[in-house]
């Protein structure tokens, strides 16, 4: 049981990399014109660890039977997810953050489909991530247009 938990942690911890390297800049976030539905910054600090836990669990359950397509979609999704913090908070480029969010959403959809083919049970853990990505796309698009 402990070994399984350690393996799960190996899938989980890399998802936090960009949040360690590129700290969320609340001052920048508040300086932007925001749509009425923009959440306060602390919401992101609650939602993302939960989503990362669900993503990691899905990957953990799917990894023993993963295909090359699955690995490619996972890699694209992971890299683009990590690049968002750099684009938005690091270089403060809302257009690049918007483009990256589109890639994140598309790759998360592909990841879900591939996961469902490999392990229907593990795919369901990606549904909250997809829902959040849709919200994030609407939010960053609104921020881009308003600024």
């Amino acid at each position: 049981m402990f070994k399984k938990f350690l393996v799960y942690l190996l899938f989980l911890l890399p998802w936090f990399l960009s949040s360690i390297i590129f700290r969320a800049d609340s001052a920048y976030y508040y300086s932007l014109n925001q749509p009425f539905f923009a959440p306060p910054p602390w919401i992101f600090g609650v939602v993302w660890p939960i989503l990362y836990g669900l993503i990691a669990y899905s990957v953990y359950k799917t990894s023993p039977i993963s295909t090359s397509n699955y690995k490619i979609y996972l890699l694209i999704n992971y890299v683009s997810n990590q690049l968002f913090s750099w684009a938005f908070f690091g270089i403060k480029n809302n257009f690049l953050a918007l483009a990256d969010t589109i890639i994140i959403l598309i790759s998360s959809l592909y990841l879900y489909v591939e996961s469902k083919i490999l392990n229907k049970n593990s795919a369901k853990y990606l549904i909250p991530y997809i829902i959040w990505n849709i919200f994030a796309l609407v939010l960053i698009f609104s921020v881009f247009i308003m600024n």
Side-chain angles (χ1 to χ4, degrees), residues 29-41:
Y29 183 77
Y30 281 124
S31 75
L32 297 169
N33 294 319
Q34 306 257 347
F36 70 92
F37 57 87

Side-chain angles (χ1 to χ4, degrees), residues 24-134:
D25 185 351
S26 293
Y28 175 67
Y29 183 77
Y30 281 124
S31 75
L32 297 169
N33 294 319
Q34 306 257 347
F36 70 92
F37 57 87
W42 66 266
I43 292 289
F44 298 99
V46 172
V47 170
W48 276 112
I50 293 168
L51 293 175
Y52 288 155
L54 293 170
I55 296 164
Y57 188 72
S58 177
V59 173
Y60 169 76
K61 296 303 268 183
T62 307
S63 66
I65 53 173
S66 64
T67 62
S68 58
N69 280 348
Y70 176 84
K71 291 173 185 174
I72 290 168
Y73 301 144
L74 178 61
L75 181 63
I76 291 168
N77 186 264
Y78 172 76
V79 170
S80 58
N81 184 292
Q82 297 302 296
L83 286 175
F84 180 85
S85 292
W86 170 77
F88 190 72
F89 293 113
I91 63 171
K92 297 173 176 48
N93 186 322
N94 295 337
F95 176 75
L96 192 56
L98 171 61
D100 187 57
T101 304
I102 293 168
I103 294 168
I104 293 169
L105 176 58
I106 292 170
S107 64
S108 67
L109 291 169
Y110 276 101
L111 188 62
Y112 172 79
V113 170
E114 193 67 23
S115 294
K116 194 168 183 180
I117 292 168
L118 297 170
N119 183 334
K120 286 183 184 180
N121 190 42
S122 72
K124 70 182 178 186
Y125 293 100
L126 296 175
I127 293 171
Y129 180 48
I130 292 169
I131 292 168
W132 182 260
N133 286 333
I134 293 167

